[in-house]
Amino acid sequence: MSYDNQRDSEEDDSDDDSDSESSGGRHGSALSTFFTRLFSGFLRNWGCLRGVHNMLNIPTQAFPAPNSQQRIGPSSQSGRNKVALKPGHSLMDWIRFSKSGKDLTGLRGRLIEVTQEELQKHNTRDDCWTCIRGMVYNVTPYMDYHPGGEEELMKAAGIDGTELFDQVHRWVNYESMLKECLVGRMATAIKAFIPPPPPPPTSLAPPISLAPPPEKDCRPRYDWFQTDIPSTGCTSVDLEAGVLRLEVLLGKMSYMIHLRLADEVEENVAVHTAASVGKIQVSVRKQAKQKWTSLGQPLEFHNTFLRKKDRALFYRDCVLVSKTEVNHNTHVFRLQLPRGTVRHVPVGKHVYLKALIKDTEVVRPYTPVDESMAVASHHSSQDSDLYLMIKVYPDGVLTQHLNSLQIGDLISVSGPEGTFSLRPLRDVTHLYLLAAGTGFTPMARLIRLALQDIDSIRKTKLLFFNRQEDDILWRCELDELAANDERFQVEYVLSVPSDGWTGRKGRVDECILKDFLSRPDGSKCYVCVCGPTVFTELTIGLLKQQGFSEEELHAFQG
């Protein structure tokens, strides 16, 4: 069973196959950058991915630890539960406390260089230092504010906690959250590089001769290769001020091209993918027609192939172009990408929104939805806007900020994240979706995908849990879809129904699931779950009791 840090909520609410899209742009004498050799060769040898983890020294330490407060289910799973914090210890309380002027490091404002030996001394509940990416923080005052609890924070006491931190919440801006707790930088020993000596001369060595340059071969030629990879991955392209940044997600890996282009170009970019042959073409229009002698100057992380989790999040400032009411506390926010950005968020993936609130960066994950549930409403290739369905909480730090934004304001948005894969759906005949509250958001696009693009799926059923009728998101669209397509079925369950409610009542339990789920002879089933942590934990346990294996389950977590 796979877990994905993805539930659209503020505080307590409820190996990829990725879609690729083309984005329009001007052509003609456009500069076209082909990655033919790279992806052709890469996909010819796709099996190299299976050995990548050996080369990249992936750690085997499990975090969170088995039976810890942050783990849901058996130790082979990963997820993050929150623990109940004391009153007055919310995120906003920590922000106020950290800005109070108190000395949170114990060093009276001094920054020091910390040795490994010194770091190891501070490993207790009352004196806890940890290192994240070379910077040392005194996290003792943060213990009671940590949503994951003291136990998980102590895992990194007195040691380098970078790997542990990344495995749970790499997206959190710890520099902003803990800047008042900064002790200093880790001391590092710099080793001088001594080049190897040249090989000794030998009389047996043949004399060096320079071959004349070969004549240019202008004859046509052909090449061929074969692959069973159905997609070239998810491509994100950003072009700003002459700097081109291209990232391609291939399963759990990330390939990046990062260049300062050789000359000025227009900030229009087009991306074309040929999934059947594993090629990606990026087209940009030059401002002047002369030929370039090179593509440009390499920048940081150019031509690198890393695990996606080791790649830092990259944010773009998007414009809020509309806000549409869904119900009494939920809106769809439409965000427009910058002019030089081409980016498509695959089904089942999420993005992070980031905002500076009271001098602290706050980050939350949200899953894009389509503009509507109508099956016939395909987006054009020109429509790259993001639609985010977000519930506004009375005490939500980020959602209150989002709700206060005016049309035209900016919000920082990351690229696609998440572990959901379409690969398990290839041979599925019955797809079951169990959602609570805004846990519906990853299901919305999954429903359309199942009905439109996956011929093997004969039945898609949504069981949607809410408190009251007016909490049901997109109810009219769901009912209309069910009425027009016999392959789709939706049922609603209310925990606080009105007297006139005739549908299902209560909360998720064994009886409801047994009645809703079925395994026809010869069928292959898959179940997706998304909602509050308590809902997800209980539902996954009940599904396993009913005989569903880990390979038949996916839980969106967040």
Side-chain angles (χ1 to χ4, degrees):
M1 180 187 63
S2 53
Y3 277 81
D4 188 4
N5 288 331
Q6 173 184 2
R7 180 173 56 80
D8 296 309
S9 65
E10 178 84 29
E11 307 303 337
D12 296 320
D13 180 46
S14 58
D15 11 276
D16 298 334
D17 292 324
S18 306
D19 303 326
S20 298
E21 284 190 351
S22 300
S23 178
R26 298 171 60 187
H27 301 282
S29 61
L31 165 68
S32 296
T33 304
F34 292 88
F35 305 106
T36 302
R37 293 184 180 178
L38 166 71
F39 290 102
S40 297
F42 177 79
L43 293 175
R44 282 199 303 268
N45 299 282
W46 182 261
C48 69
L49 273 180
R50 295 183 173 89
V52 165
H53 70 282
N54 296 323
M55 295 184 288
L56 295 178
N57 190 27
I58 299 176
T60 59
Q61 179 178 2
F63 182 81
N67 303 319
S68 80
Q69 301 174 72
Q70 294 191 28
R71 187 173 291 279
I72 297 177
S75 59
S76 61
Q77 304 162 5
S78 63
R80 177 172 176 263
N81 285 346
K82 295 180 180 179
V83 301
L85 299 176
K86 301 175 184 177
H89 288 78
S90 67
L91 173 60
M92 288 306 300
D93 291 320
W94 168 252
I95 293 174
R96 285 190 288 267
F97 179 64
S98 64
K99 305 298 181 187
S100 64
K102 295 183 179 180
D103 180 14
L104 303 186
T105 65
L107 299 175
R108 298 183 179 180
R110 292 184 298 115
L111 294 179
I112 63 175
E113 191 173 61
V114 183
T115 64
Q116 187 71 30
E117 293 75 14
E118 180 65 25
L119 177 63
Q120 292 173 354
K121 296 177 182 177
H122 302 271
N123 62 355
T124 66
R125 167 64 178 81
D126 298 323
D127 182 15
C128 182
W129 291 9
T130 190
C131 174
I132 304 177
R133 294 186 177 87
M135 306 305 291
V136 179
Y137 298 89
N138 182 352
V139 295
T140 311
Y142 185 60
M143 285 285 180
D144 292 334
Y145 295 86
H146 184 229
E150 171 188 325
E151 175 187 349
E152 298 305 327
L153 203 56
M154 286 299 295
K155 294 286 191 301
I159 64 173
D160 188 331
T162 304
E163 185 69 27
L164 305 179
F165 174 86
D166 285 347
Q167 290 187 34
V168 178
H169 37 214
R170 177 176 64 90
W171 50 272
V172 171
N173 191 316
Y174 63 91
E175 297 101 324
S176 177
M177 291 284 293
L178 300 176
K179 63 183 177 182
E180 304 300 332
C181 300
L182 180 62
V183 172
R185 184 184 298 274
M186 280 294 294
T188 57
I190 302 176
K191 298 180 180 180
F193 172 72
I194 303 176
T202 171
S203 59
L204 298 179
I208 299 176
S209 61
L210 297 177
E215 295 184 3
K216 185 176 181 180
D217 186 358
C218 297
R219 294 175 301 172
R221 56 187 179 272
Y222 73 93
D223 189 13
W224 75 278
F225 65 92
Q226 57 187 338
T227 176
D228 60 355
I229 304 303
S231 170
T232 51
C234 170
T235 305
S236 297
V237 179
D238 293 274
L239 177 62
E240 182 178 12
V243 173
L244 176 68
R245 183 188 185 276
L246 179 147
E247 183 178 4
V248 182
L249 303 184
L250 296 163
K252 296 180 180 180
M253 305 300 292
S254 162
Y255 176 74
M256 181 181 291
I257 289 175
H258 196 198
L259 292 163
R260 182 173 297 281
L261 298 178
D263 207 340
E264 294 182 350
V265 296
E266 298 180 3
E267 286 195 357
N268 288 327
V269 60
V271 179
H272 301 276
T273 63
S276 60
V277 294
K279 297 181 182 180
I280 299 174
Q281 174 183 312
V282 177
S283 299
V284 180
R285 179 174 289 273
K286 298 184 290 187
Q287 289 192 356
K289 292 186 177 181
Q290 69 268 19
K291 290 187 176 181
W292 292 3
T293 58
S294 69
L295 184 57
Q297 177 184 356
L299 299 178
E300 186 178 23
F301 301 118
H302 173 66
N303 197 28
T304 54
F305 187 51
L306 306 174
R307 293 178 299 174
K308 174 59 180 174
K309 67 185 292 291
D310 294 333
R311 185 84 72 188
L313 292 177
F314 182 78
Y315 287 89
R316 305 141 178 90
D317 284 335
C318 297
V319 179
L320 176 63
V321 294
S322 69
K323 185 171 69 173
T324 306
E325 182 177 292
V326 178
N327 65 10
H328 60 99
N329 59 10
T330 304
H331 297 80
V332 171
F333 293 76
R334 181 178 181 179
L335 304 178
Q336 186 178 71
L337 295 168
R339 181 184 179 190
T341 295
V342 174
R343 196 263 316 282
H344 170 66
V345 181
V347 172
K349 303 292 187 182
H350 59 276
V351 298
Y352 291 104
L353 301 190
K354 179 176 69 173
L356 187 65
I357 301 174
K358 295 187 177 180
D359 297 326
T360 299
E361 284 188 350
V362 180
V363 182
R364 293 286 185 273
Y366 294 100
T367 307
V369 298
D370 288 321
E371 187 174 4
S372 75
M373 285 294 299
V375 174
S377 63
H378 286 283
H379 288 180
S380 71
S381 60
Q382 305 296 323
D383 185 5
S384 60
D385 292 353
L386 282 177
Y387 296 85
L388 301 177
M389 183 180 290
I390 299 176
K391 180 177 179 179
V392 178
Y393 293 83
D395 56 349
V397 178
L398 184 59
T399 57
Q400 285 293 331
H401 170 78
L402 294 174
N403 199 39
S404 69
L405 293 178
Q406 303 298 313
I407 302 303
D409 287 348
L410 299 178
I411 183 72
S412 294
V413 183
S414 78
E417 294 283 328
T419 62
F420 179 79
S421 172
L422 297 179
R423 190 177 298 270
L425 300 182
R426 286 178 175 177
D427 302 319
V428 166
T429 60
H430 289 70
L431 178 62
Y432 297 108
L433 310 174
L434 310 177
T438 50
F440 164 72
T441 54
M443 310 304 186
R445 296 178 68 202
L446 194 51
I447 292 170
R448 281 188 48 182
L449 178 79
L451 297 179
Q452 294 179 193
D453 299 328
I454 306 180
D455 296 334
S456 66
I457 297 180
R458 301 195 297 264
K459 195 71 174 181
T460 299
K461 297 177 67 175
L462 170 67
L463 189 60
F464 198 178
F465 295 82
N466 287 277
R467 293 186 73 254
Q468 299 176 329
E469 283 187 71
D470 58 359
D471 293 322
I472 301 175
L473 303 172
W474 274 357
R475 182 180 180 182
C476 292
E477 287 86 346
L478 290 169
D479 290 343
E480 182 179 357
L481 185 59
N484 295 329
D485 195 325
E486 62 182 7
R487 295 172 301 156
F488 177 67
Q489 178 181 335
V490 58
E491 294 187 42
Y492 308 105
V493 184
L494 300 184
S495 60
V496 188
S498 63
D499 293 338
W501 175 253
T502 59
R504 293 181 182 268
K505 304 174 184 178
R507 302 178 184 274
V508 63
D509 59 26
E510 182 180 1
C511 293
I512 287 180
L513 293 185
K514 277 187 175 181
D515 187 50
F516 180 76
L517 302 170
S518 63
R519 284 180 177 269
D521 292 339
S523 65
K524 182 177 180 181
C525 302
Y526 197 75
V527 186
C528 294
V529 182
C530 190
T533 302
V534 174
F535 170 84
T536 301
E537 179 180 4
L538 176 59
T539 304
I540 292 297
L542 292 172
L543 290 169
K544 288 184 176 180
Q545 290 177 16
Q546 295 193 21
F548 285 92
S549 66
E550 293 189 356
E551 291 72 24
E552 296 175 309
L553 303 174
H554 180 87
F556 296 100
Q557 283 292 122

